[in-house]
Amino acid sequence: MECWAHVCRKFFDALSTAPESKTTLDFILALCRVEHTTQDSWTRGTPEHLRARRTASSTVLDGWFVDLCWANRCLGCA
């Protein structure tokens, strides 16, 4: 999650000039929630922990990428 914290800071800094960056911040928050949920389940470091993270995080990231692709098409980037 440390790398996502760095990414989060950049999008947070951009909020004043690019309000659409809030969408990305919402996805990062969802990833943080996944991590906290798996930490709270007392399975940290186990195969179950890794499986839960992969499953839940991939769902969040898939939604984020779909959102980014849609935004790029709307902006004429794709």
Side-chain angles (χ1 to χ4, degrees), residues 1-74:
M1 287 308 303
E2 291 81 15
C3 293
W4 284 110
H6 292 291
V7 171
C8 185
R9 277 189 220 115
K10 297 296 183 183
F11 280 95
F12 184 80
D13 291 344
L15 273 175
S16 61
T17 57
E20 63 275 9
S21 64
K22 184 179 180 322
T23 301
T24 298
L25 289 171
D26 292 340
F27 281 109
I28 294 171
L29 177 62
L31 287 174
C32 290
R33 285 186 180 130
V34 167
E35 184 61 23
H36 287 290
T37 300
T38 57
Q39 286 179 4
D40 291 343
S41 69
W42 299 100
T43 61
R44 189 172 184 160
T46 66
E48 293 82 18
H49 176 228
L50 182 58
R51 191 171 25 259
R53 287 177 72 192
R54 283 185 180 157
T55 302
S57 294
S58 66
T59 302
V60 172
L61 290 172
D62 287 347
W64 186 26
F65 291 134
V66 166
D67 187 68
L68 289 174
C69 290
W70 182 84
N72 284 334
R73 273 195 300 270
C74 287

